[in-house]
């Protein structure tokens, strides 16, 4: 464990706190010195960018209270859901564009 990893863990916890406060209007009750170990583990496994995106996506989910311990234990599920959601949005955008093109061709008599 290095100073950099501890600093990054506290940064992730601060990001979690900010997202929590935005969602609930109050700060969560966290023992940062205890929770840093889980944050370090997430950072080691996934990297800062993925953990940040995963936390942001977690607060978009319909989870009561958004507990940090649950996120630690289920981060892989949350992040996989995030990636699936991104792919689904891209696919839907492509299909909307194709539909609009077909509709325009039909209206122009080119179909």
């Amino acid at each position: 464990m290095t100073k950099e990893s501890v600093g990054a863990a506290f940064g992730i916890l601060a990001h979690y706190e900010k997202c929590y406060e935005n969602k609930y209007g109050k700060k969560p009750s966290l023992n940062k010195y205890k929770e840093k170990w889980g944050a370090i583990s997430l950072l080691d496994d996934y990297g800062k960018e993925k953990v940040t995106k995963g936390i942001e996506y977690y607060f978009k989910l319909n989870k009561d209270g958004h507990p940090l311990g649950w996120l630690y234990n289920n981060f892989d599920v949350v992040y996989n859901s995030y990636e699936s959601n991104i792919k689904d949005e891209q696919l839907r955008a492509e299909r909307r564009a194709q539909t609009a093109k077909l509709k325009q061709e039909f209206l122009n008599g080119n179909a």
Side-chain angles (χ1 to χ4, degrees):
M1 179 175 66
T2 64
K3 279 187 172 184
E4 292 81 23
S5 64
V6 172
F10 284 131
I12 289 299
L13 291 172
H15 186 64
Y16 171 85
E17 280 183 319
K18 183 182 113 194
C19 292
Y20 187 97
E21 192 170 4
N22 288 342
K23 177 87 172 174
Y24 295 104
K26 63 180 183 176
K27 286 194 173 221
S29 176
L30 289 181
N31 180 344
K32 290 183 184 178
Y33 295 101
K34 176 184 162 201
E35 300 296 350
K36 75 179 175 189
W37 299 107
I40 289 171
S41 179
L42 282 182
L43 289 167
D44 287 348
D45 292 345
Y46 294 97
K48 185 177 180 179
E49 184 179 338
K50 286 183 178 181
V51 173
T52 301
K53 289 180 181 179
I55 289 171
E56 291 168 359
Y57 183 71
Y58 178 51
F59 282 96
K60 292 178 183 176
L61 299 176
N62 196 13
K63 180 75 177 155
D64 189 35
H66 293 87
L68 185 57
W70 189 91
L71 178 63
Y72 286 160
N73 292 330
N74 297 286
F75 189 82
D76 57 335
V77 174
V78 171
Y79 192 76
N80 289 339
S81 176
Y82 165 76
E83 286 186 327
S84 294
N85 190 33
I86 295 296
K87 289 177 186 174
D88 185 53
E89 287 177 10
Q90 290 172 344
L91 182 62
R92 288 173 185 255
E94 289 172 9
R95 288 185 178 162
R96 281 192 300 272
Q98 290 172 349
T99 302
K101 181 181 174 188
L102 288 173
K103 181 180 176 184
Q104 192 62 39
E105 288 176 1
F106 178 77
L107 293 174
N108 290 338
N110 297 335

